[in-house]
Amino acid sequence: RDHCVTGVQTCALPICRFVAHLGVSIPDAGARLVVGSEPRSWHEGEFLLFADEVLHWAENRNPTQPRVVLHLAFAKRPVQP
C-alpha cells in the first residue's frame, strides 16, 4: 500500500529475482512503476512482471487514493553450464 506523493526508489539487488505486481486498487492517475527507463502503469486485476536486477522505482502522485498491489517475488536459479 503506497500513499507516497513523491517517489520511492529501490536499488537493484545482487541476487536476481523475478517480481510480479498484481494491481489490487490503483488510483485513477499518478501511479507508475519505472523499470530501467521504461515507465509502466498498473491496472486492477493485471500483473506487471520485471526482474529486480534492473533499477526500478514506484510512485503514487495521487494524495487521496492509495496504490495497493500484491507483491510476489520468485528466485531465479543460476544457469548450470
Side-chain angles (χ1 to χ4, degrees):
R1 187 176 186 139
D2 181 14
H3 285 281
C4 283
V5 174
T6 59
V8 176
Q9 185 165 353
T10 62
C11 55
L13 299 173
I15 300 172
C16 303
R17 301 178 302 174
F18 289 115
V19 176
H21 285 181
L22 174 64
V24 177
S25 178
I26 307 302
D28 297 331
R32 69 180 185 157
L33 174 70
V34 179
V35 179
S37 61
E38 181 183 341
R40 303 176 184 186
S41 297
W42 290 276
H43 300 282
E44 291 181 11
E46 295 182 13
F47 280 99
L48 283 179
L49 304 171
F50 61 96
D52 72 355
E53 64 204 35
V54 178
L55 185 64
H56 56 281
W57 58 279
E59 68 179 354
N60 180 11
R61 295 193 179 271
N62 189 324
T64 60
Q65 289 182 290
R67 170 186 60 90
V68 180
V69 298
L70 174 63
H71 175 101
L72 303 168
F74 305 91
K76 288 171 64 175
R77 293 185 149 189
V79 176
Q80 300 295 326

